[in-house]
Amino acid sequence: MSNLRLGVEVVSAHSLVPKDGQGSANAFVELQFDGQKFRTTTKEKDLNPVWNESFYFNISDPDNLSNLNLEASVYNHSKTNNTKSFLGKVRLTGTSFVPYSDAAVLHYPLEKRAIFSRVKGELGLKVFLTNDPSIRSSSPPISTESSVFSGSQAAQTQGPVEQVQNMVQNLVQAAFSNDKDKAEARHTFHHLPNTAVSQQQHSSAPVSQEPGRFGVDQMRAEPQGPRVMRMFSGSGSQPIDYQLKETSPILGGGQVVGGRVIRADKPASTYDLVEKMHYLFVRVVKARDLPTMDVTGSLDPFVEVRVGNYKGITKHFAKTKNPEWNEVFAFAGDTIQSSFLEVVVKDKDMLKDDVVGFVRFDLSDVPTRVPPDSPLAPEWYRIENSKGERKFGELMLAVWYGTQADEAFPDAWHSDAASHPDSSAAGSPHIRSKVYHSPRLWYLRVSVLGAQDLVIHDKNRFPDVYVKVQVGNQILKTKPTQARSLNAVWNEDLIFVVAEPFEDHLIMSVEDRVGPNKDETIGRAIIPLNAIEKRAEIRHDDRVDRSRWFHLEKASVLDVDQTKKDKKDKFASRLCLCLFLEGGYHVHDESTHYSSDLRPSLKQLWVRTPTIGVLELGILNADGLPPVKSRDQKLTSDTYCVAKYGQKWVRTRTIMNSLSPKYNEQYTWEVYDPATVITIGVFDNSQVGDSPGNRDTKIGKVRIRISTLETGRVYTHSYPLLVVHPSGVKKMGELHLAIRFSCTSLLNTMLIYTRPLLPKMHYIKPFSIMQQDMLRHQAVNIVAARLSRSEPPLRKEVVEYMSDIDSHLWSMRRSKANFFRLMSVFSGLIAVGKWFGDVCMWKNPITTGLVHVLFVMLVCFPELILPTVFLYMFLIGLWNYRFRARYPPHMNTKISYADNVHPDELDEEFDTFPTSRSSELVRMRYDRLRSVAGRIQTVVGDIASQGERLQHLLSWRDPRATAIFLVFCLFVALFLYITPFQVLVLVTGLFLMRHPRFRGRLPSAPINFFRRLPAKTDSML
């Protein structure tokens, strides 16, 4: 028999509805799980009762745990008539149960039992799983409730130790005396009291405190910090370790419980979605009149800032007595182990640095700055030498306490982000948090119309010419055309991706194909991009009215004298072009399924898409990250997070030497369309430490669609970082996020659902699939090249991973996943078809009879058909509202078909393009692909055959079949002319739903006739 049990600790409730007619309530909690029912004691005259009672339920079938539910109902006990009235309930699914080590006290909002129920308040529960054999399931009560209640009051006069001993003795007696009655136990179980809570109550008895008020300080006093509660995903077969976890952290605005923020007594700051982190800030501005330390009279000063074991160092200046640094150091408050701050001025020497002087601060005297206060003004401090004298030199400093909301935080040197306890602030640009803006991208449309007066070297042949167009690293060519004269016509459109500011040039060259793999340049034209016209929409007469002729310059020659001569001569050849920067398109620099911005390139068109809300993201921390490198004989990681939404990229600071980093950084974006996705990725920084210059290692990423977020709700979840490796699916840790979408205009949000998803030019003149993939690849390369030029750079591998640049490549796993997604879409129609088949076969006569009655009613009253359909969908939507998702969707291994994929398919997915595998392996994969394509080919052919048979009904391909069908059509036309339509529908429906006794086993005559019709398969080779 399994020892697995479900433990439930009923802690407290607050803000209950008064039910006794005197503004109070006699509350107790009733628990139901797996056919077992227990109840707590009754707390009289208390709207904020505290129970601290524990219960243990037997789990009959641990494999069926995910299908079981725990229901905790709060009732009011009426002594006058011995009845109970409903105060609210909490319902937890089996997939949310966690082990005892992960369990925490969570306050759940009470739910209604009916629509008109009056319910408010919250219930605090701690639910966990345990397999400790020493813990027995809950027993029936030893005595009646009244005697137990009086006994509990008497027990409160005893000490905590004596109370525990007495309760343990009673529990042991009850366990051995009531073994036969355990199966029928449905009464109160009296538990072991929480000694810590009892001591806390005794020690804080003289202090008056308002009940039901939870401040930040009181919440932090709980032994358990913010804990997680497991949430079930859409698929029940998703492993528990891969599922989303809801958390209840204590953030800057208060504790988050069920998406709601319980405000603290202290005012909330602007950083209300992250945990408040306290820092000691030291700004070293400059120094003056420093004394000389060397014999030569020179001074190379720098400053060391010491707090305990941490030491920050400024850069040094050569041979100056009045240096200016203006550097900020931030020391994490939870790592400060000293009561003094020392700022030491030193002289840089080859062998040993000399101490010029120092300034010491008592940390208890340091002021606290709270934004939006103005920055603290720096002051001049005289430095003290080793003899205690303050004769020479002054240092300008500013020292204050603050949080990550301080303006100096982003550019400061951080003690928690430093690789060593003593490191320089000058060497930390790669670990600071930064905000990047990707360039505004445009589509450049080059319409190559024709050329005139082409001059070629061989006068005895007609030119075989084409036009090569180059913009940066992008090169496209027109099709070659064999002109019968010295004029050529192409009429081709070439599309490029360009970025602001337009620094590149458009290079047009006309090439003549002289022989195989041998081309000669006839001439070229260089056009600056900033001289090209921008347009918002395409007109039919643009090619005629706005085309221009460009003179072609001769190709480069060998000698300088010939070049000077060519400058005097005018070259006669010219090229007709129509050039436009298309502002009516949106340039896709990420996958269309995960787009974060859908606005067009032209800013004048942005007025059509006003802001609908604000998206706030708090990157709290990560946990369980894999080690990527080894430092000081220890496996570790130097991780940072990158978030992308729209044109704004953010990068957190790098936390060094930590597998559980805490970032606690908050960022904000404006939202223009709810059908967009924000992407957050975690990377290991390879530009710092012992191996600079390597590629940053990608650890995992998270996608959140804005339309799945409720307005104003704070979503605090721990997202598993799931990554597909060649060896299978791996969990690379968890990323803890807090996200909130605030709607600023409900009307604009509703209207945006009626507008096209993309700008109108995508529908008026769309691009082909090949063009979209090519242009998207070029856009990602341009964004990566531009962001890699920032300081610190956002590296190319990071941009490519965040943009899913390889999502269009072939993968057997993705193909299977998409096929099963398609099958799940049609599963509803298939289920309806099976149900109708069962109705027609009379498997359930009552259901079939009701369907007949409904069918006759709809035929007799056809005006009720559409109202019935829409009313039915309305009721289904209302019913599904109860089961709506309370959390954003996350990556699912079952939907991705990554839980049981073959290793060879994964190896094929991670193969390079072109392939780098052996010829035997490629041949095997090619044969496998041929077999899969053969099945698809067969299915497509069968579908085409059915369509061709429909076409051949009237084509006289089979004369006899067509004649039979024409005679049938004539008789049907006459019959329908004299027969009411309702009678026809009624007869047809009753015929289809006839009893199996009147059905034959062979196919019907119409089906036999249709299958005998010819198709074009006879003409296939």
Side-chain angles (χ1 to χ4, degrees):
M1 181 178 177
S2 175
N3 293 324
L4 188 64
R5 291 176 174 83
L6 177 67
V8 181
E9 182 177 341
V10 184
V11 180
S12 62
H14 64 87
S15 302
L16 297 178
V17 177
K19 284 285 188 178
D20 61 353
Q22 300 177 1
S24 185
N26 305 322
F28 67 92
V29 179
E30 194 174 87
L31 303 174
Q32 297 184 22
F33 177 77
D34 198 11
Q36 307 165 62
K37 182 187 294 184
F38 300 106
R39 59 174 289 180
T40 65
T41 55
T42 302
K43 300 297 181 180
E44 297 184 355
K45 304 294 183 181
D46 194 354
L47 295 179
N48 301 282
V50 177
W51 289 282
N52 288 313
E53 301 182 11
S54 300
F55 303 86
Y56 293 92
F57 294 88
N58 285 324
I59 300 177
S60 58
D61 185 7
D63 296 334
N64 194 35
L65 180 61
S66 60
N67 298 324
L68 300 179
N69 296 322
L70 170 67
E71 188 169 307
S73 302
V74 185
Y75 293 98
N76 171 65
H77 180 253
S78 178
K79 291 185 177 181
T80 56
N81 51 7
N82 198 20
T83 59
K84 62 180 181 180
S85 54
F86 182 74
L87 298 179
K89 69 175 182 178
V90 173
R91 184 182 180 92
L92 302 179
T93 60
T95 53
S96 63
F97 302 152
V98 298
Y100 181 78
S101 59
D102 292 338
V105 178
L106 297 179
H107 296 271
Y108 301 92
L110 294 175
E111 299 178 356
K112 297 181 179 181
R113 185 167 56 182
I115 299 178
F116 301 102
S117 299
R118 185 187 174 197
V119 171
K120 72 172 184 176
E122 296 179 345
L123 178 64
L125 299 175
K126 181 178 180 181
V127 185
F128 54 89
L129 296 172
T130 179
N131 56 0
D132 190 354
S134 61
I135 297 179
R136 296 180 177 272
S137 59
S138 301
S139 310
I142 303 172
S143 58
T144 60
E145 183 177 344
S146 59
S147 62
V148 170
F149 180 76
S150 62
S152 64
Q153 287 182 338
Q156 289 180 358
T157 60
Q158 303 176 357
V161 178
E162 292 82 358
Q163 187 178 358
V164 171
Q165 292 176 352
N166 294 336
M167 294 302 294
V168 168
Q169 184 177 2
N170 294 337
L171 284 173
V172 172
Q173 293 176 358
F176 286 98
S177 61
N178 298 324
D179 287 340
K180 296 181 181 180
D181 299 329
K182 283 183 180 180
E184 301 177 359
R186 296 293 183 271
H187 302 288
T188 307
F189 167 69
H190 301 283
H191 61 95
L192 291 174
N194 193 334
T195 58
V197 176
S198 301
Q199 293 175 359
Q200 185 178 3
Q201 291 176 354
H202 284 288
S203 62
S204 61
V207 182
S208 61
Q209 182 177 350
E210 182 182 351
R213 191 175 177 182
F214 295 90
V216 174
D217 298 332
Q218 289 81 0
M219 292 183 222
R220 291 188 185 277
E222 294 185 3
Q224 300 94 350
R227 295 283 184 164
V228 301
M229 181 183 68
R230 299 186 187 275
M231 305 290 294
F232 63 92
S233 61
S235 174
S237 60
Q238 176 89 341
I240 296 180
D241 201 30
Y242 293 169
Q243 294 177 7
L244 208 61
K245 300 177 184 177
E246 185 178 15
T247 60
S248 296
I250 301 175
L251 305 180
Q255 186 176 20
V256 180
V257 178
R260 296 185 299 171
V261 180
I262 301 179
R263 296 296 178 184
D265 296 335
K266 302 176 182 179
S269 64
T270 55
Y271 281 61
D272 59 343
L273 291 186
V274 292
E275 299 178 5
K276 186 178 294 185
M277 301 179 66
H278 296 275
Y279 287 89
L280 172 65
F281 290 93
V282 180
R283 181 185 295 275
V284 182
V285 184
K286 57 184 177 180
R288 66 186 179 186
D289 302 331
L290 296 178
T292 58
M293 302 299 295
D294 295 340
V295 180
T296 60
S298 63
L299 183 69
D300 303 331
F302 68 94
V303 175
E304 284 184 1
V305 184
R306 302 175 182 173
V307 180
N309 296 328
Y310 289 92
K311 181 170 57 176
I313 305 173
T314 67
K315 58 185 177 181
H316 76 278
F317 291 94
K319 298 180 181 181
T320 179
K321 296 182 180 181
N322 301 294
E324 292 187 9
W325 294 282
N326 198 21
E327 297 181 11
V328 182
F329 299 85
F331 297 89
D334 55 353
T335 60
I336 296 178
Q337 300 177 355
S338 175
S339 59
F340 292 95
L341 164 69
E342 287 186 345
V343 183
V344 185
V345 183
K346 289 188 175 183
D347 178 25
K348 188 74 173 179
D349 283 339
M350 295 293 294
L351 299 178
K352 183 180 179 181
D353 299 333
D354 298 327
V355 177
V356 179
F358 64 88
V359 179
R360 177 175 294 181
F361 296 88
D362 189 349
L363 296 183
S364 60
D365 298 332
V366 174
T368 300
R369 176 180 176 267
V370 179
D373 292 349
S374 299
L376 192 66
E379 301 180 21
W380 286 104
Y381 296 90
R382 285 192 171 273
I383 61 175
E384 180 180 349
N385 58 18
S386 58
K387 298 179 181 180
E389 299 175 347
R390 298 184 179 180
K391 295 183 178 180
F392 303 100
E394 289 181 310
L395 187 62
M396 180 179 282
L397 300 172
V399 183
W400 73 95
Y401 280 113
T403 63
Q404 68 266 43
D406 201 289
E407 293 86 353
F409 178 80
D411 295 326
W413 171 93
H414 301 92
S415 61
D416 56 354
S419 57
H420 300 284
D422 52 342
S423 59
S424 173
S428 61
H430 289 278
I431 64 176
R432 291 175 177 170
S433 58
K434 291 293 179 182
V435 176
Y436 306 84
H437 281 273
S438 59
R440 191 147 56 105
L441 303 177
W442 292 73
Y443 284 138
L444 172 62
R445 185 184 297 272
V446 179
S447 299
V448 183
L449 303 182
Q452 287 183 353
D453 303 331
L454 298 177
V455 178
I456 59 177
H457 295 286
D458 188 1
K459 305 296 183 179
N460 298 323
R461 68 177 185 86
F462 292 108
D464 186 10
V465 293
Y466 65 91
V467 179
K468 182 173 71 174
V469 187
Q470 180 176 357
V471 180
N473 297 326
Q474 308 173 61
I475 299 177
L476 294 178
K477 301 177 182 179
T478 64
K479 296 179 181 179
T481 177
Q482 286 190 348
R484 294 301 176 182
S485 63
L486 297 180
N487 301 330
V489 178
W490 289 281
N491 284 325
E492 292 188 27
D493 287 349
L494 304 179
I495 309 297
F496 298 87
V497 179
V498 295
E500 293 184 352
F502 302 120
E503 300 173 349
D504 296 326
H505 290 76
L506 176 65
I507 302 175
M508 314 284 301
S509 60
V510 181
E511 307 284 338
D512 182 19
R513 183 160 297 173
V514 180
N517 299 326
K518 184 179 180 181
D519 299 332
E520 292 183 356
T521 302
I522 298 178
R524 68 174 185 172
I526 301 177
I527 305 169
L529 293 180
N530 52 18
I532 299 177
E533 181 184 357
K534 301 176 182 178
R535 67 176 177 181
E537 56 185 12
I538 298 177
R539 298 179 181 177
H540 298 290
D541 54 353
D542 282 344
R543 282 196 174 189
V544 178
D545 297 341
R546 301 190 181 184
S547 59
R548 294 174 56 190
W549 289 94
F550 294 89
H551 290 280
L552 298 179
E553 299 177 358
K554 284 187 177 180
S556 59
V557 293
L558 297 178
D559 56 338
V560 179
D561 297 334
Q562 183 66 28
T563 304
K564 294 181 180 179
K565 182 179 179 181
D566 290 341
K567 289 184 178 179
K568 299 178 182 179
D569 300 334
K570 291 186 177 180
F571 190 50
S573 299
R574 59 179 186 169
L575 189 63
C576 185
L577 302 174
C578 187
L579 307 177
F580 286 105
L581 290 170
E582 302 288 1
Y585 290 91
H586 167 71
V587 181
H588 290 283
D589 60 341
E590 51 197 344
S591 176
T592 55
H593 301 291
Y594 318 125
S595 294
S596 59
D597 189 10
L598 301 172
R599 293 176 297 171
S601 300
L602 192 62
K603 278 190 175 182
Q604 295 177 352
L605 301 178
W606 290 5
V607 295
R608 303 177 184 176
T609 55
T611 305
I612 64 171
V614 176
L615 177 66
E616 299 168 276
L617 173 68
I619 305 176
L620 302 180
N621 54 64
D623 188 31
L625 300 181
V628 178
K629 61 188 70 171
S630 177
R631 181 181 294 126
D632 299 331
Q633 298 181 352
K634 179 183 177 182
L635 297 176
T636 184
S637 294
D638 308 326
T639 58
Y640 64 92
C641 295
V642 175
K644 181 196 183 305
Y645 185 76
Q647 294 183 344
K648 181 179 177 181
W649 299 64
V650 298
R651 169 178 175 165
T652 67
R653 67 190 190 281
T654 300
I655 305 298
M656 308 290 292
N657 299 327
S658 177
L659 299 180
S660 299
K662 292 184 178 181
Y663 306 101
N664 286 309
E665 298 185 21
Q666 183 172 340
Y667 300 95
T668 305
W669 288 267
E670 289 184 340
V671 179
Y672 296 90
D673 197 311
T676 49
V677 176
I678 182 173
T679 305
I680 306 100
V682 184
F683 302 88
D684 177 79
N685 196 338
S686 299
Q687 313 309 311
V688 295
D690 303 329
S691 57
N694 295 335
R695 293 171 59 90
D696 288 356
T697 305
K698 53 181 179 290
I699 296 178
K701 62 184 173 183
V702 174
R703 301 190 195 98
I704 301 175
R705 186 168 292 274
I706 309 303
S707 59
T708 61
L709 304 178
E710 297 180 10
T711 302
R713 179 176 179 178
V714 179
Y715 292 86
T716 53
H717 291 85
S718 184
Y719 294 82
L721 300 174
L722 304 179
V723 179
V724 179
H725 285 271
S727 58
V729 180
K730 287 186 178 180
K731 180 182 177 182
M732 308 295 287
E734 295 181 352
L735 182 61
H736 194 190
L737 302 175
I739 189 169
R740 175 175 59 202
F741 171 64
S742 302
C743 182
T744 57
S745 176
L746 181 60
L747 179 61
N748 290 336
T749 305
M750 296 303 178
L751 290 177
I752 203 71
Y753 282 91
T754 63
R755 297 173 181 172
L757 184 65
L758 297 173
K760 68 176 184 178
M761 291 309 303
H762 288 271
Y763 307 98
I764 296 176
K765 195 173 182 62
F767 297 123
S768 63
I769 301 297
M770 294 289 292
Q771 283 181 316
Q772 292 178 17
D773 292 339
M774 180 195 67
L775 294 174
R776 176 173 170 264
H777 189 270
Q778 296 296 339
V780 173
N781 289 337
I782 291 176
V783 173
R786 189 66 61 87
L787 295 181
S788 63
R789 294 162 55 185
S790 305
E791 184 62 32
L794 197 62
R795 297 181 61 83
K796 181 179 180 181
E797 59 269 17
V798 175
V799 177
E800 290 180 350
Y801 181 65
M802 296 287 290
S803 302
D804 282 326
I805 192 172
D806 297 330
S807 61
H808 65 286
L809 296 180
W810 160 258
S811 170
M812 179 67 76
R813 176 187 61 85
R814 291 198 192 103
S815 301
K816 292 182 179 179
N818 291 331
F819 173 76
F820 288 116
R821 287 173 56 202
L822 185 63
M823 294 302 297
S824 65
V825 170
F826 290 105
S827 62
L829 297 177
I830 296 174
V832 172
K834 291 182 178 179
W835 172 82
F836 185 72
D838 294 341
V839 169
C840 295
M841 299 305 295
W842 290 71
K843 290 189 175 182
N844 189 340
I846 298 178
T847 303
T848 304
L850 294 176
V851 171
H852 277 76
V853 173
L854 178 62
F855 176 72
V856 172
M857 290 179 58
L858 293 179
V859 171
C860 296
F861 304 97
E863 63 274 7
L864 297 179
I865 295 178
L866 290 180
T868 303
V869 172
F870 284 100
L871 181 61
Y872 183 64
M873 289 191 292
F874 172 77
L875 295 177
I876 291 178
L878 284 184
W879 177 260
N880 291 337
Y881 181 78
R882 297 179 54 194
F883 310 101
R884 68 190 187 279
R886 305 283 182 152
Y887 53 92
H890 188 52
M891 300 177 184
N892 191 296
T893 56
K894 181 176 177 60
I895 296 178
S896 305
Y897 205 74
D899 48 357
N900 54 358
V901 63
H902 195 274
D904 183 70
E905 295 178 1
L906 288 175
D907 183 73
E908 180 184 14
E909 182 175 346
F910 285 92
D911 190 9
T912 58
F913 189 84
T915 182
S916 59
R917 300 296 187 263
S918 62
S919 58
E920 293 80 7
L921 186 59
V922 174
R923 184 181 297 109
M924 183 271 293
R925 291 174 178 172
Y926 175 67
D927 292 339
R928 180 179 61 193
L929 185 61
R930 289 176 62 189
S931 64
V932 174
R935 300 190 194 101
I936 299 176
Q937 170 186 295
T938 303
V939 174
V940 172
D942 292 341
I943 297 175
S945 298
Q946 308 307 322
E948 291 169 352
R949 289 191 176 104
L950 286 175
Q951 293 178 345
H952 292 159
L953 281 172
L954 301 173
S955 66
W956 295 91
R957 181 71 179 271
D958 185 346
R960 287 169 292 275
T962 304
I964 295 173
F965 182 70
L966 292 180
V967 174
F968 172 76
C969 291
L970 179 61
F971 281 101
V972 169
L974 296 176
F975 177 76
L976 295 179
Y977 182 76
I978 61 176
T979 305
F981 182 74
Q982 293 179 340
V983 176
L984 177 64
V985 174
L986 181 62
V987 173
T988 304
L990 295 178
F991 177 78
L992 293 177
M993 293 185 292
R994 65 191 185 278
H995 197 272
R997 184 180 301 176
F998 306 103
R999 297 178 182 271
R1001 296 184 178 181
L1002 298 179
S1004 61
I1007 296 178
N1008 295 332
F1009 176 80
F1010 183 77
R1011 289 176 178 176
R1012 290 178 177 275
L1013 290 173
K1016 293 182 180 180
T1017 53
D1018 306 336
S1019 303
M1020 294 284 294
L1021 293 177

